[in-house]
Amino acid sequence: MLPLLLAAAAAVATMPAPPALRTTWRAPSGEWSDAVRWSAGLPTPFNQAAVRGDSVLTLPSGTQRAGDLEIGLESRDHARVNVAGGQLILMRDSLRLGEHTGGSATCFLSAGAIHSAMDVFVGGASTVPDRATQAELHISGGNFLGRSLTLGAGMGAHSLLSCDGSKPEAVALLDDLYVEAFTDPKGAA
């Protein structure tokens, strides 16, 4: 019995650590595929990816997968993601742009694709005070797919969705489009 326990303990000790649940972009600018700029390495289909601070992240080519993507959710964030030829596939949860008062988030899709298995929120995912964020989603090329799209759920949020020109190949929602406008009872917007 003791040899079996020792063998099991040795096997557990040599197992790799589980992947981080979240990886955060931590550079002012750069390309998605630069693993050293992510706090826990490149996003995987099983973890959350977050773009915070004053940052510009570009996905120029290739296919990248993440569990979900949060862009500029905190109050001091001014984050931007440019999909300019690559494919961004969110496998498990939502694409969220902007959340807390004082922050801003922008996502540009000029070529390539953004596919979200779940919902897309532009300007807050929570209808509660202190959500007067600035959030924008610009689609000027490529194709965009989401389960649903919610604009302006945050109280006091300034939200923008633009589909520019005739270059977008497809903009598809599987369920619903919600366009909401809520004032912030604290007068933050």
Side-chain angles (χ1 to χ4, degrees):
M1 181 71 151
L2 183 58
L4 183 60
L5 288 174
L6 290 175
V12 169
T14 60
M15 290 176 61
L21 296 177
R22 172 185 295 256
T23 187
T24 302
W25 180 258
R26 55 181 185 183
S29 64
E31 292 187 7
W32 183 287
S33 59
D34 191 351
V36 299
R37 295 177 184 248
W38 292 96
S39 63
L42 284 174
T44 72
F46 305 103
N47 65 3
Q48 296 176 323
V51 181
R52 299 278 194 264
D54 291 317
S55 54
V56 178
L57 173 59
T58 302
L59 196 139
S61 62
T63 299
Q64 301 294 334
R65 292 172 181 82
D68 71 2
L69 178 60
E70 299 173 343
I71 304 170
L73 296 194
E74 300 302 326
S75 63
R76 293 188 179 139
D77 289 344
H78 301 288
R80 177 175 165 168
V81 172
N82 298 318
V83 178
Q87 295 183 30
L88 175 59
I89 302 172
L90 305 178
M91 307 288 290
R92 298 172 54 98
D93 210 341
S94 303
L95 169 61
R96 294 175 55 198
L97 285 83
E99 189 70 34
H100 293 280
T101 299
S104 66
T106 307
C107 183
F108 286 94
L109 172 60
S110 59
I114 298 175
H115 293 172
S116 177
M118 292 299 290
D119 307 308
V120 177
F121 297 95
V122 179
S126 306
T127 307
V128 296
D130 297 319
R131 298 298 192 261
T133 186
Q134 302 271 342
E136 301 177 6
L137 173 59
H138 299 274
I139 304 170
S140 62
N143 63 71
F144 177 87
L145 171 68
R147 183 164 193 92
S148 68
L149 175 62
T150 301
L151 297 171
M155 289 185 166
H158 295 265
S159 305
L160 173 70
L161 166 66
S162 69
C163 295
D164 304 323
S166 60
K167 291 185 180 179
E169 297 165 16
V171 176
L173 301 174
L174 301 176
D175 288 334
D176 301 302
L177 169 64
Y178 300 99
V179 179
E180 303 174 338
F182 299 99
T183 59
D184 189 333
K186 294 182 177 182

